[in-house]
């Protein structure tokens, strides 16, 4: 489970490209990639503000019809994959 005090941002070395209409992320340091759907792309774009998990869910709930508990678990799972693939960075709020 991710800490609610952590903030998340796009990894500066993640390469972003359009792949037949989908957003694809590539991390050259480990040759790993992640293809995003619409909600994944919304999360990726929201990472520019370096949000917390709760702040990310607030953004998604404005755009999608999703229950708060479902949003938290789904976004947390997405972030864990992003961290594993090294396209997302987690850091503590100051």
């Amino acid at each position: 489970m991710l800490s609610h005090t952590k903030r998340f941002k796009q990894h500066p070395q993640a390469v972003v490209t359009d792949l037949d209409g989908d957003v694809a992320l590539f991390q050259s340091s480990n040759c790993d990639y992640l293809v995003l759907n619409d909600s994944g792309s919304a999360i990726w774009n929201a990472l520019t503000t370096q949000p917390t998990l709760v702040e990310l869910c607030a953004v998604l709930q404005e755009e999608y019809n999703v229950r708060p508990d479902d949003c938290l678990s789904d976004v947390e799972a997405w972030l864990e994959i992003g961290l594993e693939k090294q396209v997302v960075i987690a850091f503590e709020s100051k």
Side-chain angles (χ1 to χ4, degrees):
M1 184 170 165
L2 297 174
S3 165
H4 286 249
T5 61
K6 284 199 184 283
R7 294 195 166 274
F8 302 91
K9 64 181 181 178
Q10 298 172 346
H11 195 295
Q13 293 177 338
V15 177
V16 183
T17 189
D18 178 53
L19 185 66
D20 294 330
D22 291 326
V23 173
L25 307 175
F26 177 72
Q27 179 51 270
S28 60
S29 67
N30 61 5
C31 295
D32 215 343
Y33 69 95
L34 184 62
V35 178
L36 308 178
N37 60 16
D38 287 342
S39 57
S41 295
I43 294 169
W44 176 255
N45 291 331
L47 292 177
T48 60
T49 64
Q50 300 182 0
T52 63
L53 176 60
V54 172
E55 291 168 342
L56 268 174
C57 281
V59 168
L60 291 176
Q61 286 176 289
E62 287 180 20
E63 192 167 336
Y64 299 96
N65 184 22
V66 60
R67 294 186 354 223
D69 289 343
D70 292 339
C71 187
L72 282 173
S73 64
D74 291 349
V75 172
E76 184 174 29
W78 189 98
L79 288 169
E80 287 173 350
I81 291 168
L83 290 165
E84 177 185 317
K85 293 185 178 287
Q86 299 177 14
V87 295
V88 174
I89 295 174
F91 61 98
E92 287 296 330
S93 300
K94 292 184 180 182

